[in-house]
Amino acid sequence: MRTALLQSSGRPGSTAGNLKVLDEAAGRAAAAGAGLLVAPEMFLTGYAIGEDIARLAEPADGDATDTIAEIASRHGLAVAYGYPERSGDAVFNSAQLISAEGTRLANYRKTHLFGCFERDHFTPGEQPVVQAELDGLRVGLMICYDVEFPENVRAHALAGTDLLLVPTAQMHPFQFVAESLVPVRAFENQMYVAYVNRVGQEGEFEFVGLSTLAGPDGFARTRAGRGEELVLADVDPAFLAASREANPYLKDRRPGLYGSLV
């Protein structure tokens, strides 16, 4: 499945503006043969927008979701994106996957909040593994800081995730996560990992770009630079199966030795 990574900070504070950016990117991705477009963390509204996070937050089935479903079906590709999700009085840092037919497939709430900014504005999610079936692949969702916890990604591996989507807002000076940690996570868990970042200065944060799709061999299939960019790479189920056969980490585990981890 050809996968497009939209590296962009969009139009912080403007849901309508970000929907236009997403629509344009979906058109370019579909024209390049992509079956899936992945946008960054909090793409729908912007990340460093302070109290506007609560103001712009929407339910998982809100108006913006309807618009993205229309974008997905019109361009004929699935779309994953980050957004602030309102559920009652709580606001979650969430990511949602919409099918190419415009159906809501999965919604994930970030379980590990990073720093005071996120803890001040969001409620942490409680479900670590959220998956959906897409074009014969088992696709998992995670957000930014979550991928830095090896237990999180291993839980996805044990649940059979083939492609892990990680919308992110990775900031300076932590670019080593995109450069080094993400490919290692892909290798040690024998999966593809799509890590899709914001770019440039936004409020107090400087986002570093470097979005990547890493394969189960630990090599990047594509890597963006530091600016606005749409990059594409293929997820190959046959290569994934062969890699898992050659690198049987999950089969060779000895869970009885790991009790002290929990």
Side-chain angles (χ1 to χ4, degrees):
M1 180 174 62
R2 181 152 294 178
T3 302
L5 315 183
L6 174 57
Q7 179 167 284
S8 172
S9 287
R11 308 289 181 266
S14 173
T15 298
N18 291 320
L19 289 170
K20 289 180 180 178
V21 173
L22 190 68
D23 192 0
E24 187 272 339
R28 287 194 287 144
L36 170 64
L37 172 67
V38 187
E41 180 177 4
M42 291 287 287
F43 183 77
L44 183 62
T45 60
Y47 181 91
I49 58 173
E51 297 306 318
D52 280 346
I53 290 174
R55 181 178 66 84
L56 296 174
E58 293 190 14
D61 60 353
D63 291 342
T65 301
D66 291 341
T67 300
I68 293 171
E70 188 277 328
I71 290 171
S73 60
R74 176 159 43 84
H75 292 292
L77 82 173
V79 177
Y81 64 98
Y83 74 109
E85 178 195 354
R86 178 168 292 285
S87 179
D89 293 332
V91 175
F92 299 92
N93 184 338
S94 296
Q96 185 150 222
L97 175 64
I98 308 292
S99 76
E101 294 73 38
T103 303
R104 294 175 55 233
L105 295 180
N107 188 69
Y108 170 77
R109 296 168 172 175
K110 189 174 186 178
T111 54
H112 295 75
L113 301 180
F114 179 78
C116 296
F117 179 84
E118 291 193 5
R119 289 192 288 269
D120 286 346
H121 291 285
F122 299 109
T123 297
E126 296 295 334
Q127 186 174 354
V129 176
V130 172
Q131 300 169 309
E133 299 297 321
L134 183 66
D135 291 348
L137 294 169
R138 186 168 296 182
V139 176
L141 290 170
M142 193 172 283
I143 300 174
C144 197
Y145 193 41
D146 291 329
V147 81
E148 298 177 37
F149 292 81
E151 303 91 338
N152 257 16
V153 188
R154 181 50 56 88
H156 269 275
L158 294 174
T161 293
D162 300 313
L163 170 61
L164 183 62
L165 308 181
V166 190
T168 189
Q170 185 62 65
M171 57 198 70
H172 179 81
F174 305 109
Q175 46 266 38
F176 69 89
V177 173
E179 294 171 335
S180 301
L181 187 147
V182 168
V184 169
R185 287 284 180 270
F187 179 70
E188 67 190 4
N189 291 288
Q190 288 299 294
M191 63 175 62
Y192 285 90
V193 179
Y195 187 80
V196 188
N197 201 9
R198 306 179 68 84
V199 292
Q201 196 73 34
E202 190 178 330
E204 63 185 287
F205 306 111
E206 179 190 349
F207 298 115
V208 300
L210 302 174
S211 299
T212 187
L213 178 65
D217 54 359
F219 287 91
R221 297 300 186 273
T222 187
R223 187 181 294 282
R226 297 296 188 97
E228 301 265 338
E229 198 170 348
L230 182 72
V231 297
L232 297 98
D234 292 328
V235 173
D236 182 351
F239 182 86
L240 179 60
S243 182
R244 286 173 170 172
E245 186 65 27
N247 301 284
Y249 285 125
L250 300 186
K251 294 179 183 177
D252 290 346
R253 293 170 66 250
R254 297 180 61 192
L257 302 179
Y258 313 147
S260 61
L261 294 178
V262 294

